[in-house]
Amino acid sequence: MPLRDQLHHRAVCRLLIHPLLFSLCVCLSLCSSKALPSSFVSSGSPLSGSVRRHPPSVSAQNAMPSSLEIVKVQGKLLTRIEHNSESLATCKRVLLYNHGFPDSSITPNALTHHTEAEPGDAVPENGYFSSRLPRKLCEVLLKKMPDTAFVAFNTMGIPGSTESAPERLEDPPAEFHDKTLTGDMRDIADVFAFLRADRFPEANMCVCGMSTGAFLALAFAAREDLHPKGGLSSCFVFACVDDIPSSVVVDFSPEQLEEANKEGSCPAKFFPYGATDNPQEWRLGKAYIESYQDFPPMPELAAKLLMPVLLIHGEDDKHVPCDHADRLYATLQERMPEGVGGKARVLQLAKIPKGNHFLSSNQPFNKAVSAIVDFFATVEST
């Protein structure tokens, strides 16, 4: 059933059965709250590390949903998985979100807090998200798109995704200094492979991202060697640059580039979640800056994009000006293949009036969400 029809059907059903369903859920909750089966606590697969799942509960507002899972992929990549399907097997689409830099998606202590929480405990107001954009995307898209999962993770070297955590939140993880963009690409591939093998083997997979995470998502989509043919279905990005190698001067000042060249590293501002004073200035190795050159020019990358793509960009973006979106869209129009598997090419650009880099105001954010929902409606109807 096309997405638009699913949404209409879901809305009609809610209107018809909502009062009866609520009463039934309350009764079930009261009856089941006396005992909790031990199967709700498991150790997960060797890839995943510790996992905690909770039964459904309506005993308290914002109760811990059964669909929420916090896991460490390969024992190191802190990952948050939430879906609104009846089960993992019935999930139709998975949105894999990539954060920008310097940024993160998930609070570094999310796994510990989630594991220690009792079933029925209230979810923290932030939902274990450390940034507003992934939190709001997860919240709103799971309300608007049935049978959908939203997955976010912290790349290696970001607090929470480390071999061992530093003693103070203000201190950088040991792996932060040695981060590279190519390493971040491997992290995306690892999380993608885990989701495909252990959670959502049949769902349509979409990779998405913000800023640095946007061009990494686009580059990942173009790398068929990192995902099986047909394994990735679509891509949407926020505030993406028009070319990766040359965008190093967008992300780093001349002073930072000069210091990295002379000293082998430069200070990079980071806002560790929960730190008393922000931002921190952590040293970032020269290898991160050099790794921009490991990516092909955008025309070459675009020629390998074999899936629907949506570009979203705030017209008032001061970090990555909106003319990047215009140039990127023109390049993709010219170089993306016309169609794959007999399907027409889908390439869309949504320029958001009054939208800043983070789409931090409600009206621009809501327009972006509408563009995403319409994008999937188009993709899934072709």
Side-chain angles (χ1 to χ4, degrees):
M1 183 185 294
L3 180 59
R4 287 192 181 97
D5 294 343
Q6 292 180 50
L7 296 174
H8 176 72
H9 178 73
R10 181 69 62 90
V12 171
C13 290
R14 281 176 177 163
L15 287 173
L16 292 174
I17 70 172
H18 179 268
L20 179 60
L21 181 61
F22 177 78
S23 300
L24 179 61
C25 288
V26 171
C27 292
L28 290 174
S29 175
L30 291 174
C31 292
S32 62
S33 61
K34 294 181 180 179
L36 294 171
S38 59
S39 62
F40 285 127
V41 182
S42 68
S43 59
S45 70
L47 277 175
S48 66
S50 299
V51 177
R52 181 80 177 239
R53 297 186 181 90
H54 293 271
S57 172
V58 295
S59 59
Q61 187 177 9
N62 298 326
M64 191 79 73
S66 59
S67 61
L68 177 61
E69 182 181 358
I70 308 291
V71 65
K72 275 205 169 185
V73 172
Q74 296 192 342
K76 59 182 182 180
L77 297 172
L78 184 63
T79 305
R80 184 192 188 280
I81 305 169
E82 186 173 356
H83 70 87
N84 59 12
S85 299
E86 291 183 359
S87 67
L88 294 174
T90 59
C91 191
K92 294 181 179 178
R93 64 190 70 81
V94 179
L95 315 180
L96 176 55
Y97 176 85
N98 299 275
H99 62 75
F101 183 84
D103 198 4
S104 61
S105 289
I106 309 169
T107 59
N109 52 15
L111 179 59
T112 300
H113 287 182
H114 186 60
T115 303
E116 293 175 352
E118 294 296 330
D121 282 356
V123 178
E125 187 175 354
N126 61 19
Y128 301 115
F129 285 109
S130 55
S131 296
R132 177 185 180 274
L133 184 60
R135 175 176 62 83
K136 293 296 291 182
L137 284 173
C138 180
E139 174 189 332
V140 177
L141 289 176
L142 292 192
K143 287 180 180 178
K144 291 181 174 291
M145 298 171 63
D147 300 318
T148 298
F150 188 92
V151 181
F153 71 102
N154 291 355
T155 56
M156 195 63 180
I158 298 300
S161 290
T162 61
E163 295 289 351
S164 59
E167 292 185 4
R168 302 187 321 137
L169 291 171
E170 290 78 9
D171 295 333
E175 298 90 346
F176 182 87
H177 179 277
D178 297 327
K179 280 184 68 63
T180 63
L181 293 169
T182 45
D184 290 349
M185 286 281 283
R186 288 192 296 271
D187 294 343
I188 300 172
D190 288 342
V191 175
F192 181 91
F194 165 74
L195 295 173
R196 256 292 178 242
D198 281 34
R199 293 298 185 272
F200 306 101
E202 302 298 330
N204 291 324
M205 302 288 289
C206 171
V207 63
C208 55
M210 162 71 184
S211 196
T212 301
F215 72 64
L216 288 173
L218 211 59
F220 180 79
R223 289 278 302 274
E224 221 175 51
D225 59 310
L226 296 181
H227 49 83
K229 187 173 184 179
L232 188 62
S233 301
S234 57
C235 174
F236 67 88
V237 294
F238 299 89
C240 190
V241 295
D242 63 342
D243 183 70
I244 301 174
S246 61
S247 69
V248 66
V249 298
V250 176
D251 293 337
F252 293 90
S253 68
E255 292 77 17
Q256 286 176 303
L257 296 174
E258 181 180 0
E259 183 169 347
N261 190 48
K262 289 182 178 179
E263 306 293 336
S265 66
C266 68
K269 289 183 178 180
F270 196 84
F271 296 78
Y273 184 87
T276 53
D277 296 314
N278 270 319
Q280 304 297 315
E281 284 204 349
W282 292 350
R283 302 295 298 187
L284 182 67
K286 182 182 178 181
Y288 187 93
I289 292 172
E290 292 176 336
S291 66
Y292 280 76
Q293 307 310 314
D294 293 333
F295 293 82
M298 192 56 70
E300 182 180 336
L301 188 153
K304 298 178 180 178
L305 283 171
L306 306 178
M307 65 195 64
V309 173
L310 167 64
L311 310 176
I312 304 170
H313 215 116
E315 291 184 351
D316 293 345
D317 192 333
K318 299 296 191 293
H319 296 270
V320 181
C322 195
D323 55 2
H324 278 265
D326 294 326
R327 293 191 296 269
L328 177 58
Y329 181 71
T331 299
L332 298 190
Q333 267 195 320
E334 180 182 348
R335 299 301 298 270
M336 275 181 67
E338 281 300 324
V340 180
K343 293 186 176 182
R345 182 180 72 181
V346 177
L347 172 62
Q348 297 179 0
L349 170 61
K351 295 167 70 172
I352 309 299
K354 299 182 180 179
N356 62 17
H357 187 65
F358 303 100
L359 301 178
S360 53
S361 296
N362 286 336
Q363 187 175 8
F365 173 80
N366 290 336
K367 288 184 177 180
V369 166
S370 295
I372 294 168
V373 173
D374 290 345
F375 171 69
F376 278 101
T378 299
V379 169
E380 293 172 7
S381 65
T382 56

